[in-house]
Every structure is written in structure tokens, then in C-alpha cells.
Amino acid sequence: MPSESDTPSSRRAADYPRAVLDLFDAYVHGTIDRRGFLQQCAIHVGGTAAATAMLTTLSPDFARGQVIPPDDRRIAVSHVDIPSPRGNGTIRAYVARPVGRTDARLPVILVAHENRGLNPHIEDIARRLAVDGFLAVAPDALTTLGGYPGDEDKARTMFATLDRAKIQEDFIAAAAHAKGMAGGNGRVGAVGFCFGGGIANLLAARIPDLRAAVPFYGSPPPIEEVPAIKAELLIHYGGNDARTNAAWPGYEEALKKAGIRYRAFIYDGAEHGFNNDTTPRFDKAAADLAWARTIALFRRTLG
């Protein structure tokens, strides 16, 4: 069983009881609070002290999970403030692009975060895309509340207070802004994770000229909006993610009925969040394959 001194490279989801992983999923998505997690986890691991250590090892370790540092010489990072369509201030986005390609017009990818706002892991995802030759734009839905607070629990609590309709409109506005950014080629794709996976699906339904959308373990758009999708979809699910996967059969039926171009992969044995390499739910084999498929799709569809 994991100890508090374990590192992300040594921790694996298989080391944890299934019940604890399910409790952590409920905690991350707001179904239970920290106290509820600890109380219920203690039943499975032998006490509150063990449950507290378990929560520590399950929580993100951004420093050790970082792949591309912000000062990597291959990329340039900046921020842009995008007007909110409701006239309520702006949404701030993190922008990462490759350097040394001043004459190139880069394909553009909107990156949609999980339900904690623009945390260091999602910024790292944007930088990874920049290293691969894309102009990556990652908005922060927590902008109106001061931005990502540097603490996952606080971020999750803040996020729960947001107007979901406003978040959706802000991401749509961000995609429109990204399309016209200097240095971009005007071709836009979207990738998102968890909550952001749902945003990627929604953008595909709401933005007619979106070229490609890649939702990682995200909820589908409203089924009645599926026929409006013009983007090519690449959909990733973890095989052990029963909560998210429950919506897939209905979504797939709607995609087939509407004749939407899509490919879907369910990675056997992988958990919800399997692409996030800052936690033990990371599954390197599944993540590497899913990411390679993602980059291949964006290169083919965005030019």
C-alpha cells in the first residue's frame, strides 16, 4: 500500500483499493468533501492517519509531474485577456508557442482544463503542445475569481460556484479569439480533460468551423446538439472509469445516427484521469498511446 513518501513514478492506481479510488473520484468531482473522503477511506485502510496519508499520495504533485518547464528555450509563454461575451470582465488564457518559426503560421489548439481551473499541469499540457509545433491557448475559467489559487481544494471549491453557462460562453469566445491570433493559421482544434473533455465535446457542437476535438474522459454535449458537429472527434476513455463511461453508449448512438466522423478508444485498465502524470491514476502506456493519437489527428486536420 502506498506511503506518504512515495513519488509519482512509484505510485500506481493498482496499489490502491478499488473503493479508495472510487472515493477519491467522488472527492475530486465534489460528490463528497475532504472530511467525507477521510472518514470513508479510513474504513478501508485502517484509520484516519492512513486515510490522510492516502489522500496525500493520491493528490497531484505538479513539480515531479512537469514535462516541459516554463523557461524551456524551445517555446515562448505569455498571457492574453479575452473579453467575456456576457460583458463580465475577461477570461485570461495562458499561451504557449514554439520559437524560431517566425515565418510559420501555426495550427491552433484550445486546451480546456479540469474542474480546478488552469493549474500547473494544464499549463504544462499547453507547453507540450507548443514543443510539438502548435500554438496552444489555455483559458482559466477561474479568472473572475482571481484565477487558479495555487491550491487544488480551494480551486475545486471556487469552481463549484461558477455559472456553467458563462464558462461555456467564455470558452467559445476564447476559441474564436484563438482562431485569429497572430502567428496562427486560423485552423483550430480543441483538447480537454475531465470537465474540459466535456468542453471539447461542447465546442465541437457549438463551433461549426472547429476542425478537431479530443475529449479525454469528458461528458458528451447535449444529445440534441450532436448533429451540429462538424469537427472530427477522437474520444478517449479509461476502462475503469464507470462513472464517465456510462454516458458513452448514448453518445455513440447519436454520433452514428448523425454520421459524425469519430474514433473512440477505451483503454483497458486505465482510470479516470489516466493522462494526468501528476497523480497515481496516471497510466503511462495508455497516456502515451492516447497522446500520440491526439497529436497525429491535430497534425492531419489542422495543417
Side-chain angles (χ1 to χ4, degrees):
M1 188 169 291
S3 68
E4 195 167 349
S5 62
D6 285 336
T7 66
S9 62
S10 64
R11 294 175 289 164
R12 296 290 182 267
D15 297 329
Y16 296 79
R18 179 76 254 163
V20 170
L21 291 172
D22 290 342
L23 284 170
F24 185 71
D25 186 76
Y27 167 63
V28 167
H29 294 93
T31 305
I32 58 175
D33 60 12
R34 180 186 180 89
R35 181 179 180 182
F37 172 85
L38 293 175
Q39 288 178 337
Q40 295 182 54
C41 182
I43 297 171
H44 300 284
V45 299
T48 301
T52 301
M54 190 76 69
L55 181 57
T56 298
T57 65
L58 280 165
S59 297
D61 186 335
F62 296 124
R64 286 194 174 99
Q66 185 180 86
V67 175
I68 307 295
D71 59 356
D72 189 295
R73 293 185 179 182
R74 294 172 293 177
I75 62 170
V77 299
S78 59
H79 291 86
V80 62
D81 294 309
I82 302 165
S84 172
R86 290 196 179 190
N88 183 14
T90 60
I91 179 170
R92 170 156 278 211
Y94 183 84
V95 179
R97 66 179 76 211
V99 297
R101 299 182 57 180
T102 55
D103 296 331
R105 291 175 60 81
L106 304 168
V108 182
I109 301 176
L110 190 84
V111 184
H113 57 64
E114 301 152 311
N115 68 334
R116 277 92 69 198
L118 186 61
N119 64 22
H121 171 64
I122 298 300
E123 291 182 344
D124 191 33
I125 291 289
R127 295 193 296 269
R128 297 176 203 183
L129 288 165
V131 168
D132 278 326
F134 300 96
L135 195 168
V137 181
D140 186 359
L142 293 176
T143 299
T144 56
L145 299 178
Y148 177 73
D151 178 276
E152 289 286 279
D153 283 343
K154 290 179 182 177
R156 191 179 302 110
T157 299
M158 291 165 62
F159 191 84
T161 70
L162 295 176
D163 180 341
R164 292 302 175 97
K166 181 184 184 305
I167 296 174
Q168 295 171 1
E169 292 174 12
D170 283 347
F171 271 92
I172 292 170
H177 181 90
K179 180 181 178 181
M181 286 182 66
N185 67 2
R187 299 172 182 171
V188 182
V191 62
F193 309 87
C194 188
F195 168 81
I199 289 293
N201 275 320
L202 186 79
L203 294 178
R206 299 277 177 89
I207 302 177
D209 58 356
L210 192 75
R211 295 295 187 98
V214 184
F216 279 76
Y217 29 85
S219 59
I223 293 301
E224 65 273 14
E225 296 187 27
V226 169
I229 294 174
K230 304 300 181 185
E232 186 171 342
L233 301 180
L234 175 60
I235 303 167
H236 302 300
Y237 291 109
N240 291 347
D241 187 7
R243 176 182 55 82
T244 304
N245 296 356
W248 171 236
Y251 187 21
E252 182 176 38
E253 181 181 0
L255 291 171
K256 288 180 176 179
K257 184 176 180 180
I260 308 301
R261 292 169 301 164
Y262 78 93
R263 288 191 302 158
F265 297 95
I266 299 177
Y267 298 86
D268 188 39
E271 303 292 330
H272 183 90
F274 70 81
N275 189 70
N276 189 331
D277 45 9
T278 71
T279 82
R281 297 189 294 176
F282 175 60
D283 185 313
K284 179 172 173 51
D288 285 353
L289 181 55
W291 194 248
R293 287 167 167 164
T294 297
I295 295 301
L297 174 71
F298 284 145
R299 284 180 173 156
R300 176 169 57 80
T301 59
L302 303 183

